Amino acid sequence: VQLQASGGGLVQAGGSLRLSCAASGRYIRVISNNALGWFRQAPGKEREFVTSISWRGDSTSYADFVKGRFIISRDNAKNTVYLQMNSLKPEDTAVYYCAVSRYSSVTTRLDSYNYWGHGTLVTVSS
């Protein structure tokens, strides 16, 4: 399974961006049965959980620092997961990674995810 994230860029504080992550590959059907997640890694920091969505899209989990600002969604017909980011802050600057979980329900643990995209850079200026 290959994951291709896109939609990153430079935005001013208070602005919005929408990230997309499309899956492809031989075992792509596994995507529809598994939870998907977004993580981020800022310079000099460890990769951290941002949000996760269950396989049916009926359950989500968010890190406290994005609650009320970010929205995760998925389109299983397109094998794509999205991250709508609103009210962006300079501290949201990071490389954002999409990932596929081994499980169908939401999970915040980094080691629960076994497929990772290459990441897309989000830079928020003050």
Side-chain angles (χ1 to χ4, degrees):
V1 175
Q2 290 81 47
L3 300 173
Q4 182 63 51
S6 61
L10 175 64
V11 64
Q12 288 189 332
S16 298
L17 282 175
R18 188 192 193 207
L19 305 184
S20 299
C21 178
S24 62
R26 182 176 180 181
Y27 300 105
I28 193 173
R29 273 183 285 184
V30 72
I31 303 300
S32 298
N33 299 322
N34 289 53
L36 302 173
W38 288 95
F39 290 73
R40 71 185 188 185
Q41 188 166 15
K45 295 188 176 181
E46 294 186 350
R47 193 169 299 188
E48 62 182 355
F49 170 79
V50 176
T51 181
S52 176
I53 187 168
S54 63
W55 73 281
R56 279 192 286 193
D58 57 352
S59 179
T60 57
S61 177
Y62 293 92
D64 287 343
F65 52 77
V66 302
K67 281 182 180 177
R69 300 189 299 124
F70 291 11
I71 301 171
I72 188 172
S73 61
R74 66 187 293 167
D75 185 338
N76 287 343
K78 296 182 179 180
N79 298 305
T80 301
V81 61
Y82 305 95
L83 182 61
Q84 178 66 42
M85 304 187 296
N86 302 318
S87 302
L88 283 161
K89 305 174 181 179
E91 51 264 44
D92 293 320
T93 295
V95 177
Y96 284 73
Y97 298 89
C98 57
V100 181
S101 172
R102 296 182 176 87
Y103 311 109
S104 59
S105 56
V106 296
T107 175
T108 65
R109 291 176 57 91
L110 190 147
D111 60 6
S112 296
Y113 294 79
N114 55 347
Y115 295 107
W116 292 83
H118 290 294
T120 184
L121 176 62
V122 173
T123 303
V124 184
S125 63
S126 57

